[in-house]
């Protein structure tokens, strides 16, 4: 059998020594397949379409060429990166600063849920890199005096399929109108949807397509299972799973924001270190929850799909799908939070009688029939009394909190908005006023 071809180093791909040193400090020992394919082309100045599964190292594939170009031509607002979620935008911004620390690269994350004034001040300091959610970026382009993207040399659309799935098409179109036509453009996505193909034609010039995986795949080091449960005992089985996984760090995915809140309260009543994260939370609370989870202060993160894309949290041992995603492709992204960069991981999906069709679509998508997690009903139902009491306490806490919030809003006349793109929220408010 022929020996496998050696993976080239970052230096052999054309990355300059200062950036290679930065990669080493971040623990990146060798380039990933998408980086091997994309870096030489991007360093040559080609427009790129990069298709690779989640957790494949797409951020470095576009960040390193941009930073290398900055070494030769350093000026403010050199690059703009669009991201579908706040958390991913913040993470990308942090990676730019870590990789570019030797030349003092300044990057700013422009996302919803944070003071527009504070962000305007940050933009006024002329950062080299702007990483943003499309709605909030358009807010600043429209309302922040003196801010423009006319000097941008690189435009990146990261997780483009998710950006368009989040209905940011209008905002992206408006942003494309104000960035220079003479620029380099990188489009990275896990999937090539019709919308992504349309966007590719609109914003890239003679691009090179780099495709690491043409089908929907999960990591080879990921152990995947399901557990079939009666819907009325779903919470009991969920707690049973967590007891079986005691000591593990887990991300638990739900379908709704309300479920993250309810489950976190139930688990806290039962003594678990759970913390929720969802689009209904303020950005400071979302960032705080993620920080506690990354630091190991909490070992269970209860989240919606806001946390399913791009986030690199090395210590995740298990992913639990409390709710089966309605879009089968979201399963790939959820379970991609574990078993990253060659590490092992585990994913368990809770399937009720109402989820069978959705679950079968997932198995069809990944081309696998998954084994069942062993769970004996008589052992699981021993937890029923404790779980029922925790459910009751959680429901009571939610009622009291919601009543208190409504009372406070009536007194203060507040109207909170919690979304990832303030632009559309503003449009809805204007429409109401008319």
């Amino acid at each position: 059998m022929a020996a496998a071809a050696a993976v080239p180093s970052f230096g052999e791909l054309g990355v300059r020594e200062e950036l290679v040193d930065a990669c080493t400090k971040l623990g990146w020992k060798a380039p990933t397949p998408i980086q091997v394919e994309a870096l030489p082309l991007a360093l040559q100045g080609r427009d790129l379409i990069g298709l690779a599964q989640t957790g494949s190292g797409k951020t470095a594939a576009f960040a390193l060429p941009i930073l290398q170009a900055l070494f030769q031509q350093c000026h403010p607002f050199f690059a703009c990166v669009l991201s579908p979620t706040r958390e991913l935008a913040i993470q990308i911004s942090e990676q730019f600063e870590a990789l570019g620390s030797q030349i003092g690269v300044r990057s700013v994350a422009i996302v919803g849920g944070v003071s527009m004034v504070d962000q305007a001040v940050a933009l006024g300091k002329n950062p080299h890199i702007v990483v943003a959610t499309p709605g909030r970026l358009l807010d600043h382009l429209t309302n922040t005096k003196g801010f423009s993207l006319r000097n941008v040399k690189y435009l990146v659309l990261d997780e483009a399929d998710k950006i368009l799935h989040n209905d940011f098409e209008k905002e992206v179109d408006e942003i494309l109108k104000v960035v220079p036509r003479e620029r380099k453009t990188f489009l990275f996505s896990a999937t090539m949807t019709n919308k992504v193909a349309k966007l590719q034609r609109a914003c890239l010039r003679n691009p090179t397509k780099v495709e690491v995986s043409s089908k929907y795949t999960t990591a080879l080091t990921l152990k995947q299972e399901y557990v079939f449960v009666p819907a009325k005992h779903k919470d009991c089985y969920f707690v049973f799973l967590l007891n079986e996984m005691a000591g593990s760090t887990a991300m638990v995915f739900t379908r709704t924001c309300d479920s993250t809140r309810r489950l976190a309260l139930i688990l806290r009543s039962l003594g678990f270190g759970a913390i929720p994260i969802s689009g209904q939370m303020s950005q400071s609370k979302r960032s705080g929850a993620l920080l506690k989870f990354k630091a190991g202060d909490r070992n269970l993160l209860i989240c919606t799909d806001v946390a399913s894309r791009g986030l690199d949290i090395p210590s995740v041992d298990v992913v639990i799908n409390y709710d089966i995603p309605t879009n089968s492709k979201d399963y790939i992204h959820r379970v991609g939070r574990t078993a990253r960069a060659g590490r092992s991981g585990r994913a368990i999906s809770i399937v009720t009688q109402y989820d069978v069709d959705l679950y079968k679509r997932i198995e069809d998508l990944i081309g696998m029939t998954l084994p069942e997690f062993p769970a004996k009903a008589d052992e699981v139902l021993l937890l029923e009394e404790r779980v029922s009491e925790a459910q009751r306490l959680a429901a009571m806490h939610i009622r009291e909190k919601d009543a208190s919030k409504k009372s406070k809003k009536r007194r203060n006349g507040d109207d909170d908005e919690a979304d990832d793109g303030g632009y559309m929220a503003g449009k809805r408010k204007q429409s109401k006023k008319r």
Side-chain angles (χ1 to χ4, degrees), residues 19-263:
L19 293 174
V20 173
D21 290 343
C23 290
T24 302
K25 288 177 182 176
L26 289 174
W28 301 349
K29 297 176 183 177
T32 64
I34 186 65
Q35 292 162 9
V36 170
E37 296 293 329
L39 282 172
L41 295 164
L43 290 167
Q44 291 169 20
R46 301 292 299 272
D47 278 13
L48 274 186
I49 302 167
L51 299 179
Q53 67 190 56
T54 185
S56 59
K58 293 194 288 287
T59 301
F62 62 76
L64 289 171
I66 290 171
L67 291 169
Q68 186 136 318
L70 257 174
F71 272 85
Q72 281 92 40
Q73 188 186 6
C74 189
H75 66 72
F77 302 108
F78 189 75
C80 176
V81 182
L82 298 182
S83 161
T85 69
R86 301 174 185 180
E87 284 71 28
L88 182 54
I90 293 167
Q91 178 178 285
I92 292 170
S93 182
E94 290 171 347
Q95 286 202 344
F96 265 106
E97 291 203 336
L99 286 168
S101 58
Q102 288 198 32
I103 56 170
V105 167
R106 297 188 310 278
S107 180
V108 62
I110 301 298
V111 300
V114 178
S115 162
M116 284 278 290
V117 174
D118 291 345
Q119 289 178 346
V121 170
L123 290 170
K125 293 178 181 177
N126 295 326
H128 302 102
I129 314 291
V130 175
V131 188
T133 50
R136 179 49 67 95
L137 182 63
L138 196 55
D139 281 343
H140 281 286
L141 287 168
T142 305
N143 301 312
T144 299
K145 189 175 180 181
F147 171 59
S148 80
L149 296 175
R150 63 178 176 269
N151 292 323
V152 161
K153 302 298 181 188
Y154 284 84
L155 176 67
V156 182
L157 295 101
D158 190 29
E159 302 284 0
D161 52 339
K162 188 67 174 178
I163 288 175
L164 299 175
H165 181 69
N166 285 359
D167 294 327
F168 283 133
E169 283 181 83
K170 182 177 179 181
E171 289 90 331
V172 171
D173 286 343
E174 292 297 319
I175 291 165
L176 289 175
K177 290 176 185 176
V178 299
V179 294
R181 293 179 66 84
E182 295 298 318
R183 65 173 192 271
K184 309 299 180 192
T185 306
F186 301 150
L187 186 154
F188 283 84
S189 182
T191 57
M192 178 55 85
T193 64
N194 290 334
K195 286 184 176 181
V196 173
K198 180 181 174 184
L199 179 60
Q200 164 208 326
R201 293 190 292 271
C203 71
L204 283 83
R205 294 184 304 171
N206 191 26
T208 302
K209 186 176 180 182
V210 175
E211 190 168 5
V212 171
S213 176
S214 59
K215 61 177 286 189
Y216 300 103
T217 57
T218 52
L220 295 174
T221 53
L222 176 67
K223 182 180 181 181
Q224 301 174 77
E225 299 161 286
Y226 77 95
V227 56
F228 188 66
V229 312
K232 66 179 181 179
H233 295 311
K234 187 175 182 178
D235 286 348
C236 266
Y237 276 84
F238 174 51
V239 173
F240 174 81
L241 283 178
L242 293 180
N243 282 332
E244 292 294 295
M245 302 288 131
S248 298
T249 300
M251 291 179 73
V252 178
F253 285 96
T254 71
R255 201 170 291 148
T256 68
C257 298
D258 288 342
S259 291
T260 63
R261 182 185 179 195
R262 185 184 73 86
L263 286 180

Side-chain angles (χ1 to χ4, degrees), residues 336-351:
R337 298 311 97 212
T338 187
R340 296 174 73 82
R343 292 181 290 267
S344 62
R346 193 171 191 175
I348 305 171
S349 298
I350 299 176
V351 183

